[in-house]
Amino acid sequence: RADTRNYYKWEAYNSSSISPQAGPVSATTKTLPAPTSLKAVALTTSSIQVTWRAANYAEGYKIYRSTSRTGEYELVGVTNADELSFDDTGLTSNVTYYYKVASICGPSEKETGPVSATPKKMTGATNLQAVPQDFSSILISWTAAPEADGYKVLRSLMQTTGYEEIADVTGTQYLDDNLGSSTKYYYKVV
């Protein structure tokens, strides 16, 4: 066990006699250091990456998580000594998660932390614009939403109801054509 002082005595013997005891001598086991530079960063709306720097003598690491800084932490992952990060997935957006990481060597464990991160709820596209191109087409453009893989373009003839999907795109603009002239259209991008 780390940080444990042990005392020893010994005797020499053969088949006919035993020598007087020698000693005592003592030795203290090495201290297992905790990992350093612990960080937690939200990767997506449902995942956080926890990283750290290696601890000398560590055979691996245990990752603990809680939703309260001072609450109970549960073991959510174990890595090998050369794996200095852990991706925690399946999380709920807008909930703060706290992490501790412990270096392990045999029965010894030394932890550091906590650090925290919050997966953010995905925001929608912003700066939506609809610009007529000619008598029968409108160019819809917007600013990209962080972490969005694509967008659904919705259109209606009424401002508050009746929206229907007209396109599924990966870029930040869409040309809506074959429209009726002198007709007002409303758009949403989600």
Side-chain angles (χ1 to χ4, degrees), residues 38-44 47-52 84-89 91 99 115-117:
L38 183 62
K39 293 179 185 170
V41 176
L43 295 177
T44 67
S47 68
I48 291 174
Q49 183 176 66
V50 182
T51 60
W52 58 90
L84 303 177
S85 69
F86 174 76
D87 290 351
D88 196 8
T89 60
L91 304 175
Y99 294 89
V115 294
S116 65

Side-chain angles (χ1 to χ4, degrees), residues 125-134 136-144 151-156 163-179 184-190:
T126 57
N127 300 321
L128 183 62
Q129 296 181 13
V131 179
Q133 300 298 295
D134 55 35
S136 65
S137 64
I138 297 175
L139 180 65
I140 300 98
S141 63
W142 57 89
T143 301
Y151 305 91
K152 294 185 184 305
V153 180
L154 310 176
R155 180 182 66 205
S156 177
Y163 285 89
E164 294 182 5
E165 182 179 337
I166 59 168
D168 192 344
V169 298
T170 57
T172 56
Q173 63 181 20
Y174 174 74
L175 183 63
D176 191 10
D177 54 7
N178 296 319
L179 300 171
K184 189 168 192 171
Y185 294 94
Y186 296 91
Y187 295 93
K188 289 184 180 181
V189 175
V190 294

Side-chain angles (χ1 to χ4, degrees), residues 11-188:
E11 303 174 319
Y13 65 92
N14 63 25
S15 61
S16 61
S17 67
I18 297 177
S19 73
Q21 286 187 349
V25 295
S26 68
T28 302
T29 56
K30 291 182 179 180
T31 299
L32 177 64
T36 58
S37 302
L38 183 62
K39 293 179 185 170
V41 176
L43 295 177
T44 67
T45 58
S46 63
S47 68
I48 291 174
Q49 183 176 66
V50 182
T51 60
W52 58 90
R53 294 190 75 184
N56 290 335
Y57 316 113
E59 296 171 347
Y61 301 93
K62 290 182 178 179
I63 300 88
Y64 296 94
R65 178 185 69 209
S66 177
T67 54
S68 168
R69 182 178 192 81
T70 58
E72 217 169 290
Y73 285 75
E74 68 174 311
L75 179 66
V76 292
V78 178
T79 69
N80 295 321
D82 59 344
E83 294 177 84
L84 303 177
S85 69
F86 174 76
D87 290 351
D88 196 8
T89 60
L91 304 175
T92 303
S93 64
N94 290 337
V95 172
T96 300
Y97 293 91
Y98 297 87
Y99 294 89
K100 293 181 179 181
V101 175
S103 50
I104 50 176
C105 183
S108 297
E109 190 172 311
K110 183 77 172 205
E111 70 181 28
T112 189
V115 294
S116 65
T118 306
K120 297 295 180 193
K121 193 172 195 176
M122 185 182 296
T123 58
T126 57
N127 300 321
L128 183 62
Q129 296 181 13
V131 179
Q133 300 298 295
D134 55 35
F135 296 108
S136 65
S137 64
I138 297 175
L139 180 65
I140 300 98
S141 63
W142 57 89
T143 301
E147 300 180 27
D149 294 326
Y151 305 91
K152 294 185 184 305
V153 180
L154 310 176
R155 180 182 66 205
S156 177
L157 293 172
M158 296 173 283
Q159 187 173 6
T160 57
T161 62
Y163 285 89
E164 294 182 5
E165 182 179 337
I166 59 168
D168 192 344
V169 298
T170 57
T172 56
Q173 63 181 20
Y174 174 74
L175 183 63
D176 191 10
D177 54 7
N178 296 319
L179 300 171
S181 64
S182 299
T183 304
K184 189 168 192 171
Y185 294 94
Y186 296 91
Y187 295 93
K188 289 184 180 181

